Amino acid sequence: QKEVEQDPGPLSVPEGAIVSLNCTYSNSAFQYFMWYRQYSRKGPELLMYTYSSGNKEDGRFTAQVDKSSKYISLFIRDSQPSDSATYLCAMSLNRDDKIIFGKGTRLHILP
Amino acid sequence: NAGVTQTPKFRVLKTGQSMTLLCAQDMNHEYMYWYRQDPGMGLRLIHYSVGEGTTAKGEVPDGYNVSRLKKQNFLLGLESAAPSQTSVYFCASSQGDSLFSWRDTEAFFGQGTRLTVV
């Protein structure tokens, strides 16, 4: 079982829809969770991070962590064509531990 | 613009050839990293550096060497390229109170180098 699992997609949704992106993980000791956005032929950029369980909201983006289910989610409200990108989840055990990345989910927002 | 610059952006090598990928950052960051990104594999850490003159192995260091003679530059070398090293290589830098404290102070990635080994 891989440490971090993420459906590669592609996921196509109409503009304005709510998007749900997810990752599951096997190591219950992970504490730090991140979401990165990567546009085509660009490097990843940090969208959001959360520590331990709970929700975090930033504009149209909400990150959720469910440690009991070992499941994290990123929701995008009022999706825009500019949200079309690959979204990578990432996590680590402790502050100084290496970061484990998911494979990424390709998202297409259809105008 | 401030950031992380990688050169070259594209390269095709023949098996057995050598090359060096250059990463330069102008943010005075202490920590620098080299990742490779392959379809279906996610980002994997090759080598990293915690400061000028230091380097350390990551998850997949075999076949690569690195050097950090100047704080702003982190070089990745392939001594004898193999088709398995066909990938997109990303350099990143960060500044925090610890190596992977990306949660607090963001790590910045370069635009990547697409390397094909034939």
Side-chain angles (χ1 to χ4, degrees):
Chain A
Q1 183 182 10
K2 293 186 178 180
E3 283 194 285
V4 179
E5 298 274 10
Q6 186 174 11
D7 188 330
L11 177 64
S12 297
V13 299
E15 183 176 357
I18 295 175
V19 176
S20 173
L21 302 167
N22 312 295
C23 284
T24 58
Y25 59 94
S26 58
N27 190 339
S28 58
F30 281 133
Q31 297 189 83
Y32 294 89
F33 304 92
M34 290 156 280
W35 285 96
Y36 282 81
R37 177 175 62 195
Q38 185 176 18
Y39 290 114
S40 181
R41 296 182 182 272
K42 300 289 187 182
E45 54 180 340
L46 181 66
L47 264 182
M48 304 195 57
Y49 82 88
T50 54
Y51 170 71
S52 194
S53 288
N55 295 355
K56 187 171 184 178
E57 188 174 324
D58 184 2
R60 297 186 293 112
F61 298 90
T62 299
Q64 286 187 353
V65 175
D66 182 348
K67 293 195 75 179
S68 62
S69 301
K70 290 184 280 186
Y71 188 89
I72 67 172
S73 300
L74 177 71
F75 297 97
I76 306 174
R77 293 183 297 281
D78 187 26
S79 56
Q80 305 294 313
S82 59
D83 294 326
S84 296
T86 296
Y87 289 81
L88 309 169
C89 65
M91 50 198 76
S92 65
L93 296 173
N94 297 307
R95 190 176 172 82
D96 293 334
D97 278 335
K98 67 178 182 179
I99 295 172
I100 308 297
F101 286 87
K103 299 173 188 178
T105 299
R106 288 175 54 203
L107 173 67
H108 297 297
I109 306 300
L110 306 172
Chain B
N1 292 336
V4 178
T5 302
Q6 291 182 232
T7 53
K9 290 185 171 52
F10 305 92
R11 185 74 183 268
V12 178
L13 282 180
K14 292 182 179 179
T15 299
Q17 286 185 321
S18 64
M19 78 165 292
T20 300
L21 282 67
L22 171 63
C23 177
Q25 54 97 359
D26 58 5
M27 297 170 283
N28 202 36
H29 285 172
E30 288 293 335
Y31 308 116
M32 296 188 75
Y33 319 78
W34 275 107
Y35 283 88
R36 59 178 291 173
Q37 188 175 38
D38 303 292
M41 295 295 291
L43 282 162
R44 292 183 291 168
L45 182 64
I46 305 171
H47 285 281
Y48 62 92
S49 168
V50 300
E52 182 177 311
T54 76
T55 63
K57 294 180 180 180
E59 303 170 63
V60 289
D62 293 342
Y64 304 96
N65 57 75
V66 287
S67 65
R68 189 147 179 224
L69 300 178
K70 294 183 179 181
K71 186 176 183 179
Q72 64 267 34
N73 296 335
F74 195 28
L75 278 62
L76 178 71
L78 287 74
E79 292 185 347
S80 180
S84 61
Q85 293 178 305
T86 293
S87 186
V88 181
Y89 292 86
F90 286 100
C91 175
S93 72
S94 69
Q95 182 72 10
D97 58 0
S98 59
L99 181 60
F100 285 110
S101 63
W102 296 8
R103 285 69 57 178
D104 306 323
T105 55
E106 182 176 352
F108 292 87
F109 282 83
Q111 291 196 336
T113 295
R114 292 182 173 272
L115 175 66
T116 302
V117 183
V118 297

